[in-house]
Amino acid sequence: MSRNEMMMRRLGQLAREHATDEGRSLEELKKTKEILKGAESQRLRRFCTSERMVPGRDLDELGKAILMGDFDYVSLDFSRRIAEQMMTLGREKAFSAAAEQYYNLRWGPTETPIYNLLGLAMQLVPSQKEAHFQLARLFIKAKVPVDGTDLSGTTALSHCFSTKPSFELEYAQLLYDAGGDVNHRNRYGGIVAEEIIKIYDHHDREVVRKATAALEWFLNHGGNVDIADGDGYTPRDMCKRLAGRVPALLSLVEKEDEKRKAKGNSCCSLCGRDEEKLLTCGKCKKAKYCAPSSRACQKLDWPKHKKECKASGIVILCDFQASFHI
């Protein structure tokens, strides 16, 4: 066990020792979807980090086929579901219904969805990695959405480049290209950058290297370090606190700040993207955002933007029919 792993385990022990009975029970929290904070956030986090997928216990035949990269079995299963749906639906609706069934599949105590399971499979059965990618492409082509979340509210995209435990940028790129959002918030209100920056042993060069590469990928793909979690902490805050031990992280953030500043109002105020048409805040006429149909940039930026905007509760986007109510 590495020093980094020992420190993570010790921090987990300390968290359990200081656990309180405040808030709702774990069973109640499992039934909710809202952002958690305080004791409730820690209660769900402890469960999700302590429970593990046990293939022999948690996977059905389809789950085992996905784990082993059995493309033929999975393809036949998907075709069977389409055929069953076509008995009552048209061909197009049958495909959509089968895709929705796959999207809603969950396995194990942390309710692992299909793309997350593929990410785990790449770690557990690395010899079948190419087959796992083939399955991922099959699901994407079948229009199975990539934004499914496990019990912690985490997507496969967030898991596969968080560096804890996986670091699979090729899979991250595949999911991103299929519509994955790098700024997705989990049940604790945090984004993946929080996990990337949590380096428990800054003397471990490999851990620091992976964290630096992951943060750079995050920023290059529209990541924002000013999104606060349920308790009000942001990745930027964490970078500043770690600056004395891991200066490379804050340097990356400051470099990205300069790049986005140079773009001015020509890029999204949250993610820095400028490759598509942006919508403008109807009140201040300055802040611009990606369309809500593609990303939740406006909603995620509101806690910060409201301090600068003259809006009094409603932000209206030009060229967009609906109002966004806060």
Side-chain angles (χ1 to χ4, degrees), residues 22-24 29 36-45:
E22 296 177 8
R24 291 164 290 181
L29 295 178
L36 304 176
K37 59 182 179 179
E40 290 187 341
S41 174
Q42 290 303 318
R43 184 168 297 124
L44 183 62
R45 188 188 294 271

Side-chain angles (χ1 to χ4, degrees), residues 1 3-19 42 45-46 49 164 195 197-202 238 242 245:
M1 182 182 297
R3 181 180 176 184
N4 195 63
E5 291 172 330
M6 288 191 291
M7 293 181 72
M8 290 175 64
R9 176 173 291 186
R10 178 54 183 157
L11 287 172
Q13 292 173 341
L14 289 173
R16 287 190 292 273
E17 291 170 5
H18 291 85
Q42 290 303 318
R45 188 188 294 271
R46 282 195 302 274
T49 55
K164 301 179 182 68
E195 295 303 318
I197 295 166
K198 288 178 182 176
I199 299 175
Y200 302 109
D201 182 10
H202 62 280
M238 297 169 66
L242 282 171
R245 291 179 289 174

Side-chain angles (χ1 to χ4, degrees), residues 53 59 63 66-67 102-103 105-107 110-124 132 136 139 144-160 165-166 171 175 184 186:
M53 167 75 69
L59 297 180
I66 292 172
L67 177 69
Y102 264 48
Y103 179 69
L105 290 172
R106 295 293 185 276
W107 292 273
T110 57
E111 301 177 13
T112 303
I114 199 160
Y115 289 103
N116 297 44
L117 179 59
L118 273 173
L120 285 171
M122 291 177 190
Q123 299 175 60
L124 296 173
H132 296 141
F139 300 150
V144 179
V146 299
D147 63 351
T149 60
D150 58 21
L151 193 60
S152 71
T154 307
T155 63
L157 173 57
S158 294
H159 274 309
C160 69
S166 61
Y171 189 38
L175 296 171
H184 174 81
N186 57 30

Side-chain angles (χ1 to χ4, degrees), residues 10-298:
R10 178 54 183 157
L11 287 172
Q13 292 173 341
L14 289 173
R16 287 190 292 273
E17 291 170 5
H18 291 85
T20 70
D21 293 327
E22 296 177 8
R24 291 164 290 181
S25 68
L26 177 63
E27 292 307 312
E28 290 177 296
L29 295 178
K30 287 181 180 180
K31 300 175 183 178
T32 64
K33 297 295 183 182
E34 81 272 18
I35 298 298
L36 304 176
K37 59 182 179 179
E40 290 187 341
S41 174
Q42 290 303 318
R43 184 168 297 124
L44 183 62
R45 188 188 294 271
R46 282 195 302 274
F47 177 82
C48 291
T49 55
S50 61
E51 293 297 323
R52 293 289 183 271
M53 167 75 69
V54 179
R57 178 194 68 191
D58 300 322
L59 297 180
D60 55 14
E61 291 305 309
L62 176 60
K64 291 175 182 176
I66 292 172
L67 177 69
M68 298 308 299
D70 190 338
F71 187 85
D72 291 338
Y73 182 100
V74 178
S75 297
L76 286 172
D77 179 84
F78 194 79
S79 297
R80 176 185 59 78
R81 292 170 188 258
I82 294 173
E84 290 177 350
Q85 295 298 324
M86 285 183 65
M87 296 175 66
T88 55
L89 302 172
R91 182 177 175 81
E92 185 175 342
K93 289 185 177 180
F95 267 87
S96 297
E100 185 176 1
Q101 286 181 6
Y102 264 48
Y103 179 69
N104 290 325
L105 290 172
R106 295 293 185 276
W107 292 273
T110 57
E111 301 177 13
T112 303
I114 199 160
Y115 289 103
N116 297 44
L117 179 59
L118 273 173
L120 285 171
M122 291 177 190
Q123 299 175 60
L124 296 173
V125 193
S127 62
Q128 293 298 102
K129 182 177 175 180
E130 184 50 46
H132 296 141
F133 271 94
Q134 189 180 14
L135 284 174
R137 295 186 188 99
L138 170 67
F139 300 150
I140 290 170
K141 185 177 181 180
K143 297 184 178 181
V144 179
V146 299
D147 63 351
T149 60
D150 58 21
L151 193 60
S152 71
T154 307
T155 63
L157 173 57
S158 294
H159 274 309
C160 69
F161 77 101
S162 72
T163 72
K164 301 179 182 68
S166 61
F167 185 56
E168 183 52 71
L169 293 188
E170 186 180 356
Y171 189 38
Q173 188 66 49
L174 182 68
L175 296 171
Y176 173 84
D177 291 341
D181 186 359
V182 296
N183 289 310
H184 174 81
R185 298 176 79 199
N186 57 30
R187 289 295 310 283
Y188 324 120
I191 55 177
V192 67
E194 281 199 7
E195 295 303 318
I196 292 171
I197 295 166
K198 288 178 182 176
I199 299 175
Y200 302 109
D201 182 10
H202 62 280
H203 296 294
D204 190 324
R205 292 184 179 181
E206 182 61 11
V207 168
V208 173
R209 183 195 69 79
K210 285 185 177 181
T212 304
L215 183 62
E216 183 174 26
W217 193 92
F218 169 77
L219 293 170
N220 287 340
H221 288 74
N224 186 288
V225 293
D226 294 311
I227 299 173
D229 63 17
D231 294 310
Y233 298 106
T234 69
R236 185 185 295 275
D237 297 332
M238 297 169 66
C239 280
K240 289 180 178 179
R241 288 200 296 271
L242 282 171
R245 291 179 289 174
V246 192
L249 298 179
L250 185 58
S251 294
L252 281 175
V253 170
E254 292 175 341
K255 181 180 178 181
E256 185 65 22
D257 286 343
E258 289 301 315
K259 186 169 68 174
R260 296 186 187 184
K261 183 179 179 181
K263 292 182 179 180
N265 289 334
S266 66
C267 68
C268 175
S269 297
L270 182 104
C271 71
R273 292 181 178 91
D274 58 1
E275 67 270 19
E276 58 185 63
K277 185 177 180 180
L278 301 174
L279 305 179
T280 306
C281 173
K283 191 68 178 180
C284 72
K285 309 295 184 182
K286 295 180 181 180
K288 295 185 178 181
Y289 300 102
C290 298
S293 58
S294 60
R295 301 181 189 92
C297 294
Q298 182 196 37

